[in-house]
Amino acid sequence: HLAGVGMLPPPYTAFEKALQTADNPNIFLKVPGIGEICERPVRLNKSNNFANMPPFFEMAKEAFTVSRMMWASDFPPSANREGYSKTLAGVRDHPAFISGDDAQWVLGRTAAILFKFDQLS
């Protein structure tokens, strides 16, 4: 859950301190849906317009790289925040993960390697 950052207002000192754990190569970071780190609008629409998007995904990517980040839906609580499909879309379409194959890493490749799913035959 992004080191439990939640809806932390700036400055992000506590989150920056938590990101220092990236120095340990055996620590991975769970990437939640946007509704876990942003205030939910009164009415969600197709474009996932969450207000005041903090730079948590970008900060985490810089510290951990996508090879140590894994998305998880946080279902069932996410169903009440933004819904499962928006939880997935919010990460898949987030600017921090649209470059190259970053979204593929966060949405499955990291987990496949960590849990050795890529070695199953």
Side-chain angles (χ1 to χ4, degrees):
H1 299 269
L2 282 180
V5 68
M7 295 182 201
L8 181 70
Y12 306 120
T13 310
F15 186 53
E16 290 169 343
K17 185 172 182 172
L19 291 177
Q20 291 175 5
T21 62
D23 293 341
N24 301 300
N26 63 332
I27 296 178
F28 289 70
L29 198 64
K30 184 254 191 192
V31 178
I34 293 173
E36 199 167 323
I37 60 172
C38 293
E39 187 175 333
R40 183 186 184 276
V42 175
R43 183 177 177 153
L44 286 172
N45 57 36
K46 289 182 181 181
S47 64
N48 260 349
N49 288 336
F50 282 85
N52 304 317
M53 182 80 64
F56 298 145
F57 291 168
E58 292 85 353
M59 293 169 70
K61 180 181 170 184
E62 183 177 334
F64 281 85
T65 75
V66 292
S67 67
R68 291 177 42 217
M69 297 172 71
M70 295 179 282
W71 171 77
S73 69
D74 197 32
F75 184 83
S78 63
N80 289 327
R81 286 192 302 262
E82 71 259 48
Y84 184 87
S85 66
K86 288 187 183 296
T87 301
L88 174 59
V91 172
R92 183 191 60 225
D93 302 334
H94 193 279
F97 306 125
I98 60 171
S99 175
D101 59 357
D102 287 356
Q104 292 175 6
W105 277 97
V106 174
L107 294 173
R109 189 175 293 167
T110 299
I113 292 170
L114 176 66
F115 299 119
K116 300 186 183 347
F117 296 148
D118 61 330
Q119 296 175 10
L120 298 177
S121 303

